[in-house]
Amino acid sequence: MATVEIRDVRKSYGPVDAIKGIDIAIRDGEFLVLLGPSGCGKSTLLRMVAGLEGITGGEIAIGGRVVNTLEPKDRDIAMVFQNYALYPHMTVFDNMAYGLKIRGIPKAEIRARVDKAAEILELGRFLDRRPSQLSGGQRQRVAMGRAIVREPAAFLFDEPLSNLDAKLRTQMRVEIKRLQDRLRITSLYVTHDQVEAMTLADRILVMNHGVAEQIGTPLEVYQRPASLFVAGFIGSPPMNVLDGRIDDRGEAVLVPGGQRLPLPQPRPTDAGRPVKLGIRPEHMAVAAEGFSIEIELVEALGADTVVYGRLPDGETLLVRMAGIPTVRERDRMTVAPQADALHLFDAVSGRRME
Amino acid sequence: MKPTRFIDLVPHIVLIVGVLIFAYPIYVTLIGSTWDSGTIGRGGLPLWPGGQGLDNYAQAWAGEAGARAKYTPVRTMMLNSLIMALAIALGKIAISILSAYAVAFFRFPLRMAFFWLIFITLMLPVEVRIIPTYKVVADLGLINTYAGLAIPLIASATATLLFRQFFLTIPDELLEAAKIDGAGPVRFFIDVVLPLSRTNIAALFVILFIYGWNQYLWPLLVTSSGDMETIVTGITKMIGTGESANDWNLIMATTVLAMLPPVAVVVFMQRWFVKGLVDSEK
Ligand SMILES: Nc1ncnc2c1ncn2[C@@H]1O[C@H](COP(=O)(O)OP(=O)(O)O)[C@@H](O)[C@H]1O
Ligand SMILES: [Mg+2]
C-alpha cells in the first residue's frame, strides 16, 4: 500500500529522448494505466519505476521514499512481464515462493501465502507443475501469483495480456479487475489496448512520443480528449476529424461542403479561426439535413453497424448505428452529429479548445 | 508401401555396414586380449576367444612386468588418466561457465575486448603453445604432478563460447524477474543459470572427459616417472621399437581397459542428458 509519485521524469538513450518529462502522482490503491502506441515509452517509464532502467532526470518516490538509486529488490514492488518470465525449471509453487525465500520469510508463512494466492487465482491443482505444463492463461496467473505473494507496495504490469488469445484476454481482464477490487494495491499497468485501459483503469495516462498527452479517468479521456492524438487513439472506430473554420460570429463551425454546425456555446473570441472538428462515429445519426455521404462499406458487427461513408469532398466519414444494418453499400444517406458532441481542436497544435 | 520399405532399409544397411567396419578392430582387440602372446606373435590370431583372458587382465591390471618388459600397472595409469580427465573436464566447465556468465550477463569496461581475447585463444591449440607452456609448467615445478597434467589444458574458449551462446537465449526478463525477486548475481547463477544449463553441462562433460582422457602429447612431455604415466601414453610405451617382441596380449587387455571409462561416461551421461532434454524448457 503506497503512493507512487513520478516527478518530471526523463530518460535519454544517448541523443534519443525516450521520456520527455512526465509528472503524475498515483494515489494509494489506485490503478493507473499507461496507454499509448508501441514505442511511445510506456515500458521505459514502468521499468524506471521498477529500477530496471536508470533515471536520466527527475524523481520517483514510492510510499513517500525517493527510490532513484535503490535496487529493484529494495523498492518493494512486484512486476508481471509480458512473456511471464517464469523460472522454467521450478514448479509453480517454487516460482511463487522464490522471492519470499530470498527475503528469508519463514517456511510456514511462505506456504500460507502461496496457498492463499493459489486459491485466489485457482492454481491450487497446479502447484507441483512446471510452467511448461501449463496453458498460457495459467502461466499468466502464476506470474500474477508471484506478484501477489510478495504483498508489495505497488504492482507493475507490462502488457501482461498481450500474449493471450482474444477470449482469454477478456477473461483475464475481468480477473485482474476482480483482483484489484479485492486487494486494492497501487498498480501501474502498461498496455496499448484501449479496451483494457478503459475497463481496468481508475485513471489513464495517455502517452505519445515520451510525453503525457492526457491524464484522466476513462470517461474523461473519452468524453473530453485533450488532443487530436488522444481523440484518435481512444474509441473504436476512431473519431472523425474534419477541417473546419469557426464562422465570423463565433456561433458555428463551417466545414467544407458548406455544412454549418452550430456550437453549443458561442465563442466570439475564436471567430474566423481554423479548427479541427472531431465527431465520434457513435454520435452521428440519420437526419433530415447534414452530411450527405455515399456509403462505401457497411460492417455489421451484430450489436451495431459501422458505416464508412464518403463526403462530397472525398473525405471518409464513419457512422456507428445501433442494431443490424438498415442501409446498403452505394446508397446515399444524410447524417448529422448530436449538437453537444462536437470536439474542437486547434488546427496547428492539435490541443483541445475548451 | 513397398518403396517406403526399401527407403527405410537403405539407412539401416548403411548403418550396419558402418558399425561392422568400426566394430571389427575392437572385436579383434577383445579377442586378442584372451590369447597368449605366443599365438598373437605368430600372426595367426583366431577369431574366437581363447582361454588366457583372466590371466592377461589380472597381469595388466596389477602386474609390474610382462614377459619381456617392465610396465607401470594399468590400475595406476587408469587412476592418473581418470584424475587428469576429470580435472580437465570439470575445470574447463567451471571456468568457462563462469567466464561466459560474466561476458553474457554483465556490462563491464572492456567486456568485448575480453570476449575477443578468449575467442583468439581458439586459434592457438595446445600444440602451438606447447613449448612456452612447458617452460612455465617446469618453472613452477609442476612436472610429474596432476596440476601440471591438467591445468594447462583447462582454459577453453570453445566451452566459453558455447555457454555464452546458450546464455544469450535466456530471456532478459528472467534476469529482471530475479532482480525484482531479490536475487543477486551469485544467487541467480546458482538458482537459475546452473539448473537451466544442466543439459549443456552434461553434453560438454562427455566431450571434455573424452578429450582429457585421450590427451597424448602433453602428458608425454610433463610426466617422466612411471607412477605419473597416463594410460594413453602408457600403451604406446608398451609397444616396443622392434628390438624385442611385444606382449600383444597385455597391450590388448590394456587397450580394452582403457576404453571402459569413456564408454561408461557416455552410457551414464546419455541417460542424464536425455532426461535433461525431455524436461528441458525455456
Ligand atoms: N535500451 C534502449 N536503447 C535505446 N533505445 C531504447 C532502448 N529501450 C527503448 N528504447 C527506445 O525508447 C522508446 C520507448 O520504448 P518502450 O518504452 O519500449 O516503448 P513501448 O513500451 O511504449 O512500446 C522506443 O523508441 C525505443 O526504441
Ligand atoms: Mg513495451
Side-chain angles (χ1 to χ4, degrees):
Chain A
M1 293 284 139
T3 59
V4 176
E5 283 152 77
I6 295 173
R7 302 189 200 111
D8 193 27
V9 162
R10 293 160 189 279
K11 176 77 189 181
S12 316
Y13 293 107
V16 183
D17 294 329
I19 304 287
K20 299 168 190 159
I22 289 195
D23 270 293
I24 183 171
I26 304 155
R27 294 184 284 267
D28 184 12
E30 186 178 20
F31 199 106
L32 180 86
V33 171
L34 300 174
L35 176 67
S38 171
C40 73
K42 311 175 296 283
S43 298
T44 305
L45 184 60
L46 191 78
R47 291 160 56 79
M48 282 197 278
V49 176
L52 297 172
E53 205 78 70
I55 300 169
T56 311
E59 219 171 53
I60 295 177
I62 299 174
R65 182 176 58 140
V66 175
V67 297
N68 282 35
T69 56
L70 291 186
E71 289 289 311
K73 67 176 161 57
D74 300 322
R75 296 194 180 195
D76 199 15
I77 44 101
M79 186 154 167
V80 178
F81 295 85
Q82 174 172 359
N83 66 4
Y84 322 131
L86 301 176
Y87 308 116
H89 59 294
M90 294 187 195
T91 62
V92 169
F93 182 93
D94 289 335
N95 262 285
M96 292 204 251
Y98 187 59
L100 302 179
K101 260 185 216 159
I102 290 180
R103 285 178 165 72
I105 292 181
K107 275 228 164 72
E109 189 182 343
I110 295 181
R111 180 94 238 171
R113 283 207 210 171
V114 173
D115 282 346
K116 189 172 153 230
E119 190 205 306
I120 296 175
L121 295 166
E122 293 169 22
L123 285 170
R125 289 185 296 130
F126 307 117
L127 284 179
D128 293 328
R129 291 210 195 160
R130 299 278 180 81
S132 59
Q133 297 162 305
L134 300 176
S135 69
Q138 289 162 345
R139 285 182 211 181
Q140 181 56 61
R141 287 213 287 273
V142 177
M144 302 226 293
R146 181 165 69 180
I148 291 172
V149 294
R150 289 267 319 280
E151 301 176 359
F155 284 146
L156 309 176
F157 299 88
D158 194 353
E159 312 222 10
L161 304 185
S162 51
N163 279 4
L164 301 175
D165 62 50
K167 191 168 167 221
L168 255 176
R169 204 178 308 160
T170 313
Q171 260 175 33
M172 287 302 297
R173 206 174 67 213
V174 174
E175 214 158 309
I176 292 177
K177 181 93 189 154
R178 246 189 39 216
L179 214 63
Q180 171 61 5
D181 288 344
R182 179 168 174 173
L183 301 173
R184 279 284 145 207
I185 289 181
T186 315
S187 303
L188 270 82
Y189 185 105
V190 164
T191 182
H192 62 258
D193 181 324
Q194 52 157 316
V195 180
E196 274 173 38
M198 296 298 280
T199 50
L200 290 171
D202 292 323
R203 279 192 298 163
I204 299 176
L205 187 158
V206 185
M207 263 180 99
N208 188 26
H209 295 308
V211 297
E213 290 270 337
Q214 183 170 10
I215 299 172
T217 65
L219 282 186
E220 277 167 15
V221 171
Y222 173 78
Q223 289 176 324
R224 305 179 54 78
S227 66
L228 270 177
F229 173 81
V230 178
F233 199 76
I234 305 258
S236 172
M239 186 184 274
N240 296 298
V241 178
L242 304 171
D243 288 317
R245 195 172 66 78
I246 296 187
D247 72 359
D248 294 336
R249 306 228 298 275
E251 286 171 353
V253 192
L254 307 170
V255 289
Q259 277 295 306
R260 187 174 177 282
L261 304 166
L263 290 168
Q265 274 126 31
R267 320 176 60 105
T269 52
D270 291 324
R273 181 170 164 186
V275 294
K276 297 273 185 186
L277 172 68
I279 310 165
R280 293 206 179 276
E282 52 271 41
H283 294 152
M284 302 272 242
V286 178
E289 47 179 313
F291 297 103
S292 166
I293 54 175
E294 184 186 336
I295 297 170
E296 289 198 319
L297 186 70
V298 178
E299 280 182 348
L301 302 173
D304 45 23
T305 299
V306 180
V307 175
Y308 292 70
R310 191 164 288 284
L311 289 165
D313 67 351
E315 289 285 317
T316 302
L317 191 75
L318 272 60
V319 180
R320 182 166 164 186
M321 301 187 294
I324 55 170
T326 53
V327 291
R328 275 175 315 170
E329 278 148 33
R330 276 186 294 284
D331 280 359
R332 297 198 71 86
M333 69 192 276
T334 305
V335 291
Q338 296 166 14
D340 56 351
L342 301 184
H343 302 267
L344 294 181
F345 300 95
D346 186 274
V348 181
S349 71
R351 302 302 299 178
R352 183 182 191 83
M353 293 163 59
E354 291 302 334
Chain B
M1 284 314 285
K2 263 185 189 154
T4 332
R5 277 265 171 97
F6 176 72
I7 283 168
D8 277 350
L9 222 58
V10 173
H12 277 98
I13 292 170
V14 172
L15 281 176
I16 288 166
V17 169
V19 165
L20 286 179
I21 291 171
F22 278 101
Y24 183 70
I26 296 172
Y27 178 75
V28 171
T29 312
L30 207 58
I31 294 299
S33 69
T34 62
W35 292 92
D36 62 295
S37 66
T39 314
I40 308 168
R42 280 193 297 279
L45 180 64
L47 281 181
W48 55 88
Q52 288 287 309
L54 274 183
D55 291 346
N56 288 344
Y57 281 97
Q59 198 185 347
W61 180 252
E64 299 279 328
R68 294 169 182 84
K70 188 170 160 25
Y71 314 122
T72 306
V74 168
R75 60 166 182 218
T76 311
M77 295 196 292
M78 281 190 46
L79 184 68
N80 292 340
S81 280
L82 189 71
I83 291 171
M84 176 180 71
L86 281 177
I88 290 174
L90 297 177
K92 269 182 189 283
I93 288 172
I95 297 226
S96 55
I97 202 171
L98 284 172
S99 14
Y101 184 58
V103 173
F105 285 99
F106 296 90
R107 334 232 135 248
F108 50 88
L110 296 182
R111 187 171 72 108
M112 283 326 271
F114 279 108
F115 175 72
W116 284 109
L117 218 63
I118 294 171
F119 192 80
I120 281 170
T121 64
L122 262 183
M123 298 164 198
L124 299 173
V126 179
E127 290 74 11
V128 174
R129 53 186 163 88
I130 206 151
I131 292 175
T133 310
Y134 182 83
K135 169 89 173 113
V136 171
V137 169
D139 288 352
L140 290 173
L142 295 178
I143 302 291
N144 280 323
T145 62
Y146 291 124
L149 270 175
I151 290 174
L153 300 177
I154 277 178
S156 175
T158 322
T160 308
L161 281 179
L162 241 125
F163 278 122
R164 173 181 176 267
Q165 288 321 109
F166 169 65
F167 291 164
L168 292 184
T169 68
I170 295 180
D172 287 344
E173 283 87 351
L174 214 56
L175 175 65
E176 293 174 347
K179 269 191 199 163
I180 289 175
D181 269 342
V186 177
R187 274 207 91 120
F188 181 68
F189 181 72
I190 294 172
D191 290 348
V192 181
V193 172
L194 269 188
L196 289 180
S197 312
R198 56 176 190 237
T199 317
N200 291 280
I201 292 175
L204 262 177
F205 180 81
V206 172
I207 295 166
L208 295 178
F209 181 88
I210 293 171
Y211 166 84
W213 187 266
N214 288 341
Q215 279 306 310
Y216 174 66
L217 187 56
W218 180 248
L220 199 64
L221 284 179
V222 289
T223 61
S224 52
S225 81
D227 30 298
M228 288 306 293
E229 195 86 78
T230 64
I231 190 126
V232 175
T233 55
I235 289 173
T236 56
K237 285 183 186 170
M238 291 169 84
I239 301 172
T241 50
E243 284 157 24
S244 60
N246 292 317
D247 298 312
W248 283 114
N249 55 338
L250 299 188
I251 293 170
M252 291 197 184
T254 306
T255 308
V256 171
L257 288 172
M259 284 190 305
L260 294 181
V263 169
V265 164
V266 170
V267 169
F268 176 73
M269 294 306 271
Q270 194 181 24
R271 281 167 57 195
W272 224 74
F273 69 67
V274 166
K275 183 168 165 281
L277 289 178
V278 170
D279 30 272
S280 101
E281 64 267 329
K282 231 169 267 133

